[in-house]
Amino acid sequence: MLGALNIGAFFPLLFLSAYRLPGGMAAVFGSLGPLWVAGLAALLLSEKPTVRTLLTGIAAALGVSLVVLRATAALDTIGVLAALASSASMAAGTVLTKRWGRPEGVGPLVMTGWQLTAGGLLIAPVAFLGEGAPPALDGRAVAGYLYLALVNTAVAYWLWFRGIGRLTATSVTFLGPLSPLTAAVIGWAALGEALSPVQLVGMAIAFGATLLGQMKVSRPRALRSSRSFSSPERNARKHSMDLTDGAVRR
């Protein structure tokens, strides 16, 4: 189930949306992950979503949209549905990974490997039926494939599932909006792509929402110290403290 949600369904839907939608539009739908997780965590983990969580999730999606959307972006029904389904699939996989945990004696790396294997086995027949046998690969293609398989997928998912085991599902998914922000920064640094003031504002909003998503809500403490005591109670407490102090001195 986890292999299907996190890998087998997520990747085909993600790339289908990327092919049919502008990259920025697909990123905006992907940034809705925190809202999906908040709803599913309430149903499956009994984590009641707070107003702050919902507002922070909306702010993250707004910030990402300011960074990546363009006025010429066009909507495609199939692409939109695929983008929403991929985001929901990843959110469900994240929440269920948190709910079920890992089997005893199984570490994050082993669990990641099995999920990638299960998801890959689900994708393989679909790819074969849709596109036929894989093409011949030269040395450059093999190097690119190894990079995507090891760094972008195996290592990334290992860190992801390791983080799920240590953080709440909502906190983990709030890291998702950092992906399009990272792409924008790399485009600026490596490709010389200019960032407009609107994009900078969007990055600040999305990054601030990510930080707020990691903060824990403090619970009110019991107000025992503010309780008022009557005169007999105060005398009894003072007598007890005097006895204790005398015992310590002795």
Side-chain angles (χ1 to χ4, degrees), residues 124-159:
V126 177
F128 183 78
L129 292 175
E131 299 186 4
L137 302 177
D138 56 13
R140 184 178 180 182
V142 171
Y145 178 80
L146 290 176
Y147 174 80
L148 290 175
L150 297 177
V151 179
N152 277 20
T153 306
V155 174
Y157 267 97
W158 168 59
L159 294 173

Side-chain angles (χ1 to χ4, degrees), residues 210-232:
T210 299
L211 292 179
L212 284 176
Q214 308 309 310
M215 295 182 180
K216 296 181 180 180
V217 179
S218 59
R219 297 181 179 178
R221 298 179 180 178
L223 303 179
R224 295 183 59 186
S225 59
S226 63
R227 176 185 171 190
S228 59
F229 294 93
S230 62
S231 295

